Amino acid sequence: MPRYFFDFYGADKESILRDSVGSECSGRAEVREEAMHALPALAKDKVPQDGDTQAFTVSVRNEMNVTVYTATLTYAGIWFGEDIPPVEELSD
């Protein structure tokens, strides 16, 4: 079975976790599934430090060191304020 390597990139370009061991996957569907499950696990304890946006990316390489898949999970928070917005009156 082919081996794939899952490299993870955090919001700051400094945090890179390069996979040197890899995982055996039966094909494209399993590579995609592994990436989809790994991203939330990686991001669950990482709260944005400098704002309300952060992205986590996994890049998957095959045994020939060729990138074959990439996926990104993005967190975006938006403050709307706490004031009640004015209600526009409709004319008849």
Side-chain angles (χ1 to χ4, degrees), residues 18-78:
R18 194 156 168 88
D19 183 2
S20 60
V21 177
S23 301
E24 290 184 344
C25 296
S26 60
R28 295 172 74 145
E30 192 172 350
V31 167
R32 181 177 174 269
E33 187 174 326
E34 286 286 326
M36 286 190 326
H37 290 295
L39 278 171
L42 176 73
K44 74 180 180 89
D45 295 323
K46 307 287 184 191
V47 177
Q49 301 298 313
D50 59 353
D52 283 320
T53 59
Q54 188 156 350
F56 300 92
T57 300
V58 60
S59 181
V60 184
R61 297 176 284 121
N62 64 14
E63 294 170 314
M64 295 177 291
N65 204 36
V66 174
T67 300
V68 295
Y69 186 78
T70 187
T72 300
L73 178 69
T74 303
Y75 168 83
I78 300 171

